Structure formats: C-alpha cells, structure tokens
Amino acid sequence: MLDVHHKGRAVVSSGTRESMERDAEVLHGYGLWATVSHDR
Amino acid sequence: VSDPGDDGAAPEIAEEIMTGFRHTPRGVSARFTAAEAGIVRSLVGQVAELVGGPGAAEEPQDPGGREGAGETADGPLPDDLAAMLGSFGPAAPPEDPVLARLLPDAYGDDADAAGEFRRYTEPGLRSGKVAAAQTVLATLPAAGGRVRLSDGDAEAWLRSLNDVRLALGVVLRITEDYEHESGGLDPADPRQAYLHVYDFLTYLQETLVRALR
C-alpha cells in the first residue's frame, strides 16, 4: 500500500472483471478513486 | 460546496482546540461547540445536496408519510419495471469537478466501460453518500454538545467526513503535497480560512479512526 503514498496509485485487487467492478464500487463508496484495468 | 471567494464571511473555529473523538464504553464520543457543529452540518448538508439534489440534506421523513411506490400503479409501466428503469444512472461523468471526484470513473482508458459501470453503480453510490450525510445531520445537534456514536453511525461519519474533505480538496486545489505547502500560503489568500476548516475535518476524521480501533 506504500505505492499509494509514493506513486499515487497501487494495485489492490485482481480477478475477473465482475469481481473487480464489485470491488471498485465498494471502494468508491469509501471515497477511494478505484479504477479497473486489463493487464496486457 | 461554495467557492471560498463567494463572500467575505469566513467560518470561525474556536481558538480552543476541541479534543476530537474518544473511545468510551458507550461508543465513540466528542464534544462540539455550536460553531463547530454548524460548520460540519453546513458542509455535510452542501455535499448531500450536491450529490443527492435539493432536499437531500433534510432528515428523512417518517416512512408512513411517504407516497407508497404502489400508488403509481395506473402508470404505463408495471411498478417494478418502472422502478428498475428509474434506478439506472447516467453514463456520462459529472461536469462539476467536485462531483466528478465523489463519483469517479471506474475505467480511465475506456469510456464505454466507464459509462456502463456508472449507469449501474452511480445511483447506489449517490444514495449511500446521502444516507451517510443524513446520519451525521441526525446525530450532530445544531447547537453542538456531546455526540455519541454507535459503530454504524461512526462508519457513516467517516464516509461523510471523507466526502466533505474530498469536496473541499477539489475546491481548494489541495494535492498530496498539501502538508508541505500549507505553511507557505499567503495569509491574504481567501482559501486560508477554509484550510483551517479542512484541517479541522482531518483532525475529526483522524481522532474518529483512532477512537474506533
């Protein structure tokens, strides 16, 4: 989580698109700017 | 949240620093002066109205007095379908920068995916923020005094305080370097008074988190 402090962002979760969207929705509820992206 | 340059009337906070939240056997607790309660209530109410529309800051009415959902039965759509359609949000992100921060895009590089996500999640995100704000307004008397929160109320307070800090942060253009820069702000800068409010909210949030551990 120190990545958030030093780089301004961090990967906090990975998995299927559906479960990532669910996590992002929860994090938005806490005011955290979560985004979903696809690893290439 | 109004622009700090709107009027000359800067909010005031008592010189005597409040002690913030503390853990007590009957829940977390803090004492507010009327001025402190007024500032928190005003900002929380403004964010609720920004997110939920006019009237969102009013305390929920007695459910018995509400128009029941079933009363629209003679409309062209069955109730549940109308409710389902009505529950979708917009696909486009808000233009207001404060709202855009409170209701962020979930995909930075894919506008279609971001729009789809927003349509399904934004109404719930908005109603959750409004509900948290209403909990703060219902548990913080306008006259101030001792506030005691259940765990559930405390979580709503944390969400709501965080929303207000995010909103103020956008308006005041506070970045992650804020703590290092704040000493250098021109004392005549109209943002100065609101930075004290921001610090006060940060202090409340920090003591509340500590009191809950």
Side-chain angles (χ1 to χ4, degrees):
Chain A
M1 287 301 275
L2 261 183
D3 276 353
V4 170
H5 187 67
H6 293 304
K7 301 178 195 167
R9 59 192 300 164
V11 174
V12 293
S13 187
S14 62
T16 64
R17 175 169 176 173
E18 288 72 22
S19 68
M20 289 311 94
E21 290 196 335
R22 226 167 19 247
D23 288 355
E25 186 177 357
V26 170
L27 292 171
H28 286 179
Y30 287 102
L32 292 164
W33 192 339
T35 56
V36 181
S37 65
H38 184 71
D39 274 340
R40 296 181 182 91
Chain B
V1 177
S2 54
D3 188 287
D6 278 355
D7 52 33
E12 287 175 22
I13 294 180
E15 287 295 312
E16 176 191 344
I17 187 79
M18 76 177 303
T19 51
F21 280 96
R22 287 181 180 167
H23 179 82
T24 78
R26 287 184 293 154
V28 294
S29 175
R31 182 176 287 284
F32 290 79
T33 64
E36 291 161 347
I39 288 167
V40 173
R41 288 181 58 89
S42 163
L43 291 169
V44 165
Q46 285 184 60
V47 168
E49 299 217 332
L50 184 67
V51 170
E58 284 160 30
E59 285 167 36
Q61 301 299 307
D62 174 17
R66 281 189 191 162
E67 303 261 316
E71 287 171 28
T72 56
D74 38 350
L77 294 169
D79 280 352
D80 48 350
L81 185 54
M84 267 175 61
L85 291 174
S87 71
F88 287 130
E95 287 179 16
D96 180 313
V98 173
L99 265 185
R101 178 59 189 89
L102 293 174
L103 310 168
D105 268 338
Y107 289 85
D109 51 1
D110 185 339
D112 288 344
E116 187 76 352
F117 180 88
R118 181 176 296 279
R119 286 182 69 225
Y120 285 99
T121 62
E122 192 185 292
L125 187 57
R126 283 181 184 260
S127 61
K129 288 181 187 300
V130 169
Q134 286 173 339
T135 297
V136 173
L137 296 175
T139 49
L140 176 60
R146 171 70 56 192
V147 168
R148 230 178 263 285
L149 304 176
S150 68
D151 286 353
D153 288 345
E155 183 177 331
W157 269 71
L158 286 175
R159 287 172 184 255
S160 186
L161 287 175
N162 201 41
D163 284 344
V164 172
R165 289 183 64 244
L166 288 172
L168 268 182
V170 173
V171 174
L172 299 175
R173 297 188 294 279
I174 288 172
T175 67
E176 50 267 39
D177 297 324
Y178 165 63
E179 282 187 39
H180 311 291
E181 310 179 327
S182 57
L185 196 63
D186 183 343
D189 192 311
R191 291 184 292 164
Q192 189 76 59
Y194 285 84
L195 289 176
H196 291 306
V197 173
Y198 185 87
D199 286 341
F200 169 63
L201 295 170
T202 304
Y203 179 72
L204 274 184
Q205 192 179 36
E206 182 179 342
T207 57
L208 181 50
V209 169
R210 289 180 188 277
L212 286 167
R213 282 202 300 214

